[in-house]
Each structure stands twice: as structure tokens, then as C-alpha cells.
């Protein structure tokens, strides 16, 4: 099963093969080949190397990605297409492949459904390009993570080797975006390489999910902890007559209760996959009992750092596959090779499965004229959310006195939306005169938490 993705990219899909579908449309192998060839010709004629790729539907995204890779281009994937995010990444790309104009000054190739394209053969290439994903670095600046086709192929091949026996002629549907590494791998690259059709649209509602489960006998659901946690309530915690063949969850830990509720509704426990953009997949588990440990993928070696208990990793998904990489997760290693995740060791957090830097958010807040100093902290009660403690400037204090706290909140939220998605914004806001510091002038977690205790 090695080279599954690389072999697929070098060979055109079968004419009648179903590549993707939605409730009113399908894309066959012949249509997909024509679209990829059409885009390839445009990309091959351009000297530009670095192309930002973004599309709402996964069929258009997949065509643009395949064409760019076959043309030997560097494909840049932003975490989102917010204006501030694209401005920060302006230095990283010279052209845009998208279903909408995203930059007035960059060369632009439009992604759209074109049914009248002439039949052309799958592009031949001697050198496949690479993908570059952007994620929050420890400094708060977006960090570029390059992924070679060999790294992605290794991961796709291991996923197929590990889970294929549980996916009989499955179609794939997803509630997560293909712009991130999890959705990219599980919804686009793995299905393409294994000849499994995928839903081109994003599943946003439980009713849509139930519609496709009833329509298709074998279905693989790609989802996230936040979405799976809300799903059982929408299904009234009742056992469903029809269920997906397999359910994957990634992006953060799934609560044990949520895993049990999914089992109640669908008769199976979700398979959780632990990893990151940098590392790729590391391990997986099914929470059939509390505190279930994680089993590393067969190709991944792990150990525990002697000094701080950090996860040490050796993996073919890494640029230096023979070197140990230290991760920011503290673990407890069991004798059988499984491990327990304890907590993060850095200031990168996940909110609603969106990975973000608290340092980046604080830095952006401090650029607003209302803000003199800012501290953002992750709160866990009554649920995981962010809290922002802000020392206001004179202008900010005037706004607070004249228009009230809600007005200040809204101004700062609007400011954050230039770089962060709405679901990740702080839910609780405090405006103390000063931020608590210890004798060394450093912020102490417990003191910051106390700022939010006066509800």
C-alpha cells in the first residue's frame, strides 16, 4: 500500500469513476480530468511558483490542488480567508487559485464548474509540487509548514493500511474544512488516492447528515469533537436505524461522555486521531472506557522526554524522518507503548478545534487604540472558551464610560475578526485597572483566572 497517493497522481482516474457528489451534482473521472488538465495548462504557462489555494467546495479545491501539484507549484493553504490573515500571508504567495477574487494585485486563476471542457488526458509530470500550510507559531506569527508529496503519501498510505478493512466501498462526508490538514488528508487526499468518492459540500446541519446516511449505505463521517459533542442532542440521544460505517474525530480531545453518546446514537465509538499540522497523525483511540490511552500508528515511534515529560516523536511524516522531534504535549508513557495525553506545554490552544496563538491574539488587541495592555487566557468553566483581560487606554476608558462595556466588547471583537474566526473570539471580557503580576513582573495563571471569578 505504499505510494498510494503518488501513484494516483501519476495515473488518471477511470472515466466513470465517481470523484465527488452532492445532492444535485456529481463529478466523474472524465470531468475531473478535463478540469485538472484545463487548470494545469494555465498554471504550466505561468512562471509563478507560489499559489494560494482556497475554494468553498471540495471538488473545485481538489481540482485546483491536483493541477498545481502536477505543474510543480508550491500550493499555499491559508487557515482562513479573513482579510487580515491574507494580508499577513501576502509575502508567501504570488498568485491565487480560488472560486473568488482574494487579492487585487496577484495573478488570479478562477475555479468554477465548466462542463463544456474538451476531453484531455491527465497531465504528465516529472516533478510534483508541495503544499505549505500556515499555523500559529509560538511567537504568535503564522508559521509555514511545508509538506512534500512523499510525506503526504506516507500518511495516506498508513491511513489506508490501518483503516481500509473497516471502509467497505465507502463514500466520505465531512463537517470539517479541507483548508486544514485534517480535512485535507481525510476528506480529499485519502479518498482520492483510495478511489472513494467524497461529498463536495460541507455538512453543517444534523438534518443534512441524516439525509446522506439514509441515501448512501456505506458512509465515512469526518468530524470534530465540538461537532460530535453537539450531534447527540440534535438526535435526541436516540438510537438511529441507520449509521455511518466509520466516524473519525480530530482537532482536539473528544470528551468521554460525547463518545458514549455517539455510541448510543450510532452503535459505535468514534475513532479519534491525535496529531497536528507539523507532525501529521501520531496516534488514535476509541474511548470505550474513561481515560483511554492512545495507540501510535505503526510507522510512528514515540518516547517521553526525561526532563519535562514532553512527547518525543520520530515519524515518516516529518521532514527529518530519522530525527527525534520534541512536541509541546506532556504525556505519560505506558509499558505497552500506548500513552496518555496530559496537557500542553506552550501557549498555543484550541478553541472549537481551531488552533490559535494566545500571543498573536494579545498582540493584535494591543494594536487597537482602546487597549493599553491585554492578556488572553483559556478558561475551562463552564466550558472551554477564551477570556480577555484588558487594561484600557484613555480613549478606551472614555468609550467604556460613554457607551458601556458591550460597546467596547464589540469594537474589540470586530478588530479581532481581521485575523481570527468568530467562533474563536473571547466570550468573557474584563477591564481591570492593572493586570496581576508576580514579584518578577510575570503574569501568573491563577491570578489571571481570578480576574474572571467575579461573575
Amino acid at each position: 500500500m505504499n505510494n498510494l497517493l503518488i501513484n494516483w497522481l501519476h495515473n488518471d482516474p477511470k472515466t466513470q469513476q465517481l470523484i465527488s457528489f452532492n445532492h444535485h451534482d456529481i463529478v466523474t473521472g472524465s470531468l475531473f480530468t478535463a478540469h485538472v488538465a484545463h487548470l494545469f495548462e494555465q498554471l504550466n504557462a505561468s512562471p509563478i511558483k507560489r499559489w494560494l489555494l482556497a475554494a468553498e467546495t471540495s471538488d473545485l479545491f481538489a481540482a485546483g490542488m491536483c493541477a498545481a501539484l502536477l505543474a510543480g507549484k508550491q500550493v499555499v493553504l491559508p487557515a482562513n480567508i479573513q482579510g487580515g490573515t491574507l494580508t499577513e500571508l501576502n509575502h508567501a504567495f504570488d498568485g491565487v487559485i480560488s472560486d473568488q477574487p482574494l487579492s487585487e494585485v496577484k495573478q488570479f486563476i478562477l475555479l468554477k464548474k465548466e462542463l463544456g471542457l474538451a476531453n484531455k488526458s491527465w497531465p504528465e509530470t516529472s516533478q510534483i509540487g508541495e503544499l505549505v500550510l500556515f499555523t500559529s507559531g509560538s511567537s504568535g506569527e503564522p508559521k509555514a509548514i511545508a509538506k512534500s508529496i512523499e510525506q503526504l503519501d506516507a500518511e495516506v498510505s498508513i491511513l489506508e493500511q490501518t483503516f481500509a478493512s473497516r471502509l467497505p466501498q465507502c463514500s466520505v462526508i465531512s463537517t470539517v474544512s479541507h483548508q486544514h490538514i485534517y480535512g485535507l488528508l481525510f476528506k480529499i487526499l485519502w479518498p482520492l488516492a483510495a478511489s472513494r468518492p467524497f461529498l463536495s459540500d460541507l455538512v453543517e446541519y444534523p438534518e443534512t447528515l441524516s439525509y446522506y446516511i439514509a441515501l448512501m449505505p456505506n458512509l465515512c463521517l469526518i468530524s470534530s469533537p465540538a461537532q460530535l459533542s453537539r450531534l447527540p442532542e440534535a438526535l435526541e440521544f436516540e438510537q438511529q436505524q441507520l449509521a455511518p460505517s466509520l466516524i473519525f474525530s480530530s482537532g482536539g480531545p473528544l470528551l468521554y461522555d460525547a463518545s458514549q453518546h455517539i455510541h448510543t446514537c450510532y452503535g459505535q465509538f468514534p475513532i479519534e486521531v491525535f496529531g497536528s499540522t507539523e507532525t501529521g497523525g501520531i496516534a488514535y483511540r476509541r474511548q470505550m472506557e474513561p481515560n483511554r490511552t492512545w495507540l501510535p500508528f505503526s510507522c510512528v515511534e514515540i518516547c517521553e522526554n526525561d526532563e519535562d515529560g514532553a512527547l518525543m516523536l520520530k515519524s515518516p511524516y516529518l521532514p527529518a524522518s530519522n530525527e527525534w522531534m520534541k512536541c509541546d504535549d506532556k504525556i505519560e508513557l505506558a509499558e505497552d507503548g500506548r500513552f496518555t495525553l496530559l496537557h500542553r506545554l506552550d501557549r498555543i490552544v484550541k478553541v472549537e478545534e481551531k488552533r490559535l496563538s494566545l500571543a498573536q491574539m494579545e498582540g493584535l488587541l494591543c494594536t487597537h487604540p482602546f487597549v493599553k495592555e491585554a492578556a488572553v487566557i483559556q478558561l475551562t468553566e463552564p466550558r472551554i472558551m477564551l477570556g480577555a483581560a484588558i487594561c484600557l487606554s484613555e480613549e478606551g476608558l472614555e468609550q467604556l464610560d460613554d457607551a458601556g462595556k458591550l460597546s467596547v466588547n464589540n469594537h474589540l471583537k470586530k478588530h479581532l475578526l481581521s485575523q481570527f474566526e468568530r467562533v474563536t473570539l473571547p466570550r468573557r471580557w474584563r477591564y481591570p485597572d492593572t493586570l496581576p503580576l508576580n514579584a518578577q513582573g510575570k503574569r501568573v495563571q491563577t491570578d489571571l483566572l481570578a480576574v474572571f471569578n467575579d461573575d
Side-chain angles (χ1 to χ4, degrees):
M1 273 181 205
N2 292 333
N3 300 327
L4 198 67
L5 179 60
I6 291 175
N7 289 339
W8 188 88
L9 282 169
H10 282 298
N11 297 282
D12 57 320
K14 295 180 177 63
T15 302
Q16 296 303 318
Q17 176 186 337
L18 180 59
I19 299 293
S20 66
F21 61 93
N22 59 24
H23 69 283
H24 60 77
D25 193 18
I26 64 170
V27 175
T28 61
S30 59
L31 288 173
F32 190 72
T33 296
H35 197 187
V36 169
H38 173 68
L39 294 169
F40 173 85
E41 289 178 352
Q42 298 175 70
L43 287 161
N44 208 36
S46 172
I48 289 177
K49 179 73 173 178
R50 306 178 306 169
W51 291 82
L52 182 136
L53 173 64
E56 182 177 355
T57 61
S58 295
D59 54 346
L60 292 177
F61 177 92
M65 180 192 64
C66 289
L69 289 174
L70 291 167
K73 304 299 185 180
Q74 186 182 81
V75 185
V76 176
L77 301 185
N80 57 60
I81 56 172
Q82 311 294 105
T85 299
L86 296 181
T87 299
E88 279 204 324
L89 300 184
N90 194 55
H91 67 283
F93 63 95
D94 304 299
V96 174
I97 311 167
S98 180
D99 53 358
Q100 57 181 302
L102 297 177
S103 174
E104 295 180 359
V105 296
K106 306 283 188 178
Q107 187 169 332
F108 177 55
I109 293 178
L110 178 64
L111 289 174
K112 64 177 181 178
K113 290 280 180 66
E114 296 183 86
L115 302 179
L117 293 174
N119 289 330
K120 294 183 179 180
S121 58
W122 187 258
E124 294 184 4
T125 184
S126 58
Q127 185 176 5
I128 298 176
E130 68 172 3
L131 293 170
V132 177
L133 297 99
F134 278 86
T135 184
S136 297
S138 57
S139 66
E141 296 296 319
K143 181 181 177 182
I145 308 295
K147 293 285 183 179
S148 70
I149 196 64
E150 288 78 16
Q151 289 171 270
L152 295 167
D153 177 81
E155 186 149 15
V156 164
S157 298
I158 287 296
L159 289 174
E160 181 70 4
Q161 178 182 312
T162 307
F163 302 116
S165 61
R166 309 181 206 180
L167 294 170
Q169 298 179 327
C170 267
S171 299
V172 177
I173 65 173
S174 175
T175 66
V176 299
S177 170
H178 50 240
Q179 295 286 150
H180 301 273
I181 188 67
Y182 171 45
L184 172 70
L185 279 166
F186 279 72
K187 186 185 181 183
I188 305 290
L189 296 179
W190 183 17
L192 283 177
S195 298
R196 294 190 185 95
F198 57 84
L199 178 66
S200 57
D201 299 332
L202 200 64
V203 175
E204 298 184 83
Y205 305 104
E207 296 82 4
T208 309
L209 174 60
S210 297
Y211 168 81
Y212 282 109
I213 291 175
L215 191 66
M216 316 193 79
N218 293 311
L219 210 58
C220 176
L221 172 61
I222 311 301
S223 194
S224 72
Q227 292 157 328
L228 290 177
S229 296
R230 291 189 283 262
L231 182 58
E233 183 177 2
L235 300 174
E236 298 180 339
F237 299 97
E238 293 183 355
Q239 183 177 357
Q240 305 297 298
Q241 291 185 335
L242 300 171
S245 299
L246 211 58
I247 301 170
F248 285 100
S249 175
S250 191
L254 181 67
L255 294 177
Y256 172 72
D257 287 348
S259 181
Q260 300 305 301
H261 292 153
I262 290 293
H263 182 266
T264 297
C265 293
Y266 287 137
Q268 62 171 294
F269 296 96
I271 297 175
E272 295 177 73
V273 177
F274 166 60
S276 70
T277 306
E278 295 95 328
T279 64
I282 297 173
Y284 61 99
R285 71 175 181 180
R286 269 181 156 163
Q287 286 199 79
M288 293 171 281
E289 66 272 338
N291 302 315
R292 179 78 168 175
T293 52
W294 295 87
L295 176 65
F297 285 101
S298 60
C299 62
V300 173
E301 295 180 60
I302 66 164
C303 68
E304 187 178 331
N305 184 272
D306 293 334
E307 295 181 2
D308 56 8
L311 170 65
M312 301 294 294
L313 177 70
K314 192 183 286 188
S315 166
Y317 313 154
L318 300 174
S321 58
N322 293 321
E323 297 179 8
W324 288 100
M325 174 184 176
K326 184 178 180 181
C327 302
D328 292 315
D329 297 280
K330 184 178 176 63
I331 66 164
E332 185 177 293
L333 194 60
E335 291 183 2
D336 61 0
R338 292 175 175 265
F339 63 92
T340 301
L341 275 176
L342 299 179
H343 58 78
R344 297 284 292 177
L345 295 168
D346 63 1
R347 296 195 71 223
I348 303 297
V349 300
K350 285 187 176 178
V351 178
E352 292 286 330
E353 283 66 65
K354 309 288 185 180
R355 191 169 184 262
L356 60 90
S357 165
L358 297 181
Q360 180 186 5
M361 186 172 283
E362 287 171 354
L364 181 59
L365 281 168
C366 287
T367 65
H368 195 280
F370 288 179
V371 179
K372 182 169 62 176
E373 194 176 4
V376 180
I377 190 171
Q378 189 171 43
L379 307 171
T380 57
E381 298 293 339
R383 63 187 185 280
I384 293 176
M385 68 179 78
L386 295 186
I390 309 292
C391 292
L392 293 172
S393 64
E394 290 187 9
E395 185 177 344
L397 289 170
E398 289 178 7
Q399 180 73 17
L400 184 66
D401 291 337
D402 294 339
K405 182 183 176 185
L406 182 61
S407 173
V408 177
N409 291 358
N410 289 337
H411 275 281
L412 297 181
K413 287 178 182 178
K414 183 179 180 181
H415 185 61
L416 288 178
L417 281 171
S418 69
Q419 292 183 21
F420 295 91
E421 296 177 65
R422 187 173 295 277
V423 294
T424 67
L425 300 189
R427 298 293 181 91
R428 296 170 70 183
W429 297 80
R430 296 291 184 271
Y431 299 102
D433 293 334
T434 59
L435 294 179
L437 302 174
N438 64 11
Q440 289 76 41
K442 296 182 179 180
R443 296 173 188 169
V444 179
Q445 182 90 350
T446 51
D447 293 339
L448 276 175
L449 285 171
V451 174
F452 296 89
N453 288 339
D454 58 337
D455 285 329

